[in-house]
Amino acid sequence: MLCPFSFPFGRRGSLRDAINFTFRPVLGALAEKLSMVPQVTLQRPDLTQGAAWFVSKEEIEECEKRFGKDIILLPAPALFAAEMEEGGISVWSSPSSSCAIWFDKEAVPKFYKYMPSSEGNAEELGEWMRRYASAEGADMPPESVRVFSEGSMSAEALRRAAEASFAASPSLSRLDLSKKGAAAAERCDVFSSACFAVLKSAAAVGVLFLLLSLALLLQNSRLHASLEEAPRGICGAVLGTNGGNPLAYTAKRLNMLSGGYSGSSLERTLADIAAAFEELPDKKAVRIDSLRYGTERTEVEGTASKTEDIQKLRDALNRNGFSAKTGGVQQIPGGGMRFTLALSAGENVR
């Protein structure tokens, strides 16, 4: 299954959490049986776009038993992305089934569909995909559908097609749906997140050092002023304010520069919720079903085994930068509790 995504942040460390929160309500219990591998096709400081591939863990295990654990697992139609120069539909046909991918003009996958032979042949699948793409607003004439048959292509021809496609789509060259590839992608996400945290701390220390250096320089240049007016003058020159409490204003600015703020971004909210979950002694006792994000207030709905688990989650959220308040708590028929938590920025925002 292929699910395109677009998130308003560039740090890849929180991408996996964002994808899980976005698609878990759709997948439900099926999520535990699927392996997720993200394919990032565009990344800027304020934007990350791509597609999340969800593959059955059982099918992956069967492939690895048959071909070995060192294989690189890709959807067959992806090998012909280079053939779709102006966008099109690549269809792979085998005796037992057919599958197809719709690519846009940049060779980015937009939609994937699998069809067993009992439901139709490759040509019927290609026509279905063409009508779907046209309904989504794409210019998709009949000649944009290309069918590639398993029995008509040699191993060498497949290799050449794959090399051309990897050159046309760098994100595709890094895609691997096997267990090894999924684990490598997850390690990369965790490593990126850790590096970002270290860099953020280093930047905060650098900003603090710069502010202190400027304060000392300005203090030396204002020795002729009275001691009573010196703190107010330094605060005005460095921070641009001439009234109020200089120490309180400085503390507020330093908090903002080091990452603190009254509101919250989607990236920070997802990362802090994930950090709170890591503190739970039993992560399976609580499940989040939906998240309604807002810059000033975020609402989380989920289920828990008992009220003590809800309390543990609320305490963990409070330790991770939130002011969490419990909304409605209802008994679920058959056991368990449904709850609502309202999250706002806590007083100890990092």
Side-chain angles (χ1 to χ4, degrees), residues 259-295:
Y261 42 87
S262 60
S264 177
S265 66
L266 174 62
E267 174 189 3
R268 169 61 65 82
T269 299
L270 295 176
D272 287 347
I273 291 176
F277 258 86
E278 290 298 324
E279 297 182 9
L280 297 180
D282 185 3
K283 299 178 180 59
K284 295 183 178 180
V286 180
R287 187 183 74 181
I288 290 181
D289 296 325
S290 67
L291 183 147
R292 287 188 289 274
Y293 165 75
T295 57

Side-chain angles (χ1 to χ4, degrees), residues 35-349:
S35 172
M36 187 275 289
V37 179
Q39 180 185 356
V40 178
T41 58
L42 175 64
Q43 191 166 45
R44 302 198 303 258
D46 60 345
L47 181 66
T48 299
Q49 291 182 338
W53 291 89
F54 293 90
V55 188
S56 168
K57 294 179 180 179
E58 183 178 349
E59 291 183 8
I60 293 176
E61 291 177 356
E62 291 178 0
C63 288
E64 291 183 348
K65 286 180 181 179
R66 183 178 178 184
F67 301 105
K69 294 185 177 181
D70 293 329
I71 63 170
I72 295 178
L73 189 60
L74 290 171
L79 301 180
F80 309 99
E83 301 286 337
M84 311 292 113
E85 296 180 351
E86 296 299 323
I89 297 168
S90 170
V91 184
W92 175 257
S93 175
S94 69
S96 60
S97 62
S98 301
C99 53
I101 297 178
W102 165 28
F103 292 98
D104 65 12
K105 294 183 179 181
E106 286 73 37
V108 176
K110 304 290 289 184
F111 190 75
Y112 171 87
K113 183 173 177 60
Y114 167 86
M115 179 182 289
S117 299
S118 59
E119 297 180 9
N121 55 35
E123 287 72 21
E124 292 173 333
L125 175 59
E127 179 60 19
W128 187 96
M129 291 282 287
R130 189 184 72 82
R131 292 198 303 269
Y132 176 86
S134 298
E136 292 294 313
D139 183 14
M140 201 65 58
E143 57 269 20
S144 62
V145 179
R146 298 283 304 277
V147 178
F148 304 90
S149 300
E150 176 180 348
S152 63
M153 301 195 69
S154 64
E156 180 62 19
L158 288 173
R159 184 186 64 81
R160 290 196 301 268
E163 289 177 350
S165 297
F166 291 162
S169 176
S171 66
L172 185 61
S173 66
R174 298 186 293 268
L175 181 64
D176 184 2
L177 304 181
S178 66
K179 280 185 178 180
K180 174 172 59 66
E186 185 171 3
R187 287 195 299 270
C188 180
D189 290 343
V190 173
F191 179 77
S192 298
S193 179
C195 287
F196 184 86
V198 172
L199 291 175
K200 184 174 68 174
S201 299
V205 172
V207 170
L208 178 61
F209 178 79
L210 177 61
L211 289 175
L212 292 175
S213 298
L214 288 174
L216 290 174
L217 178 63
L218 292 169
Q219 185 179 26
N220 290 331
S221 67
R222 291 171 175 257
L223 288 176
H224 61 280
S226 67
L227 292 177
E228 181 179 354
E229 293 296 324
R232 190 180 302 276
I234 292 174
C235 188
V238 178
L239 303 175
T241 179
N242 294 317
N245 189 327
L247 291 177
Y249 186 82
T250 302
K252 179 180 178 181
R253 290 297 300 271
L254 289 176
N255 187 43
M256 292 173 62
L257 290 171
S258 61
Y261 42 87
S262 60
S264 177
S265 66
L266 174 62
E267 174 189 3
R268 169 61 65 82
T269 299
L270 295 176
D272 287 347
I273 291 176
F277 258 86
E278 290 298 324
E279 297 182 9
L280 297 180
D282 185 3
K283 299 178 180 59
K284 295 183 178 180
V286 180
R287 187 183 74 181
I288 290 181
D289 296 325
S290 67
L291 183 147
R292 287 188 289 274
Y293 165 75
T295 57
E296 299 297 332
R297 175 188 170 94
T298 297
E299 190 171 279
V300 173
E301 292 185 359
T303 57
S305 301
K306 51 185 181 296
T307 55
E308 288 80 359
D309 297 323
I310 302 174
Q311 179 64 39
K312 291 177 181 178
L313 175 59
R314 189 181 68 179
D315 293 343
L317 290 168
N318 287 332
R319 291 192 296 271
N320 282 272
F322 294 108
S323 175
K325 295 183 179 180
T326 304
V329 177
Q330 299 178 345
Q331 186 76 31
I332 300 175
M337 314 289 293
R338 181 173 298 279
F339 65 89
T340 301
L341 290 176
L343 310 181
S344 57
E347 296 181 356
N348 60 339
V349 175

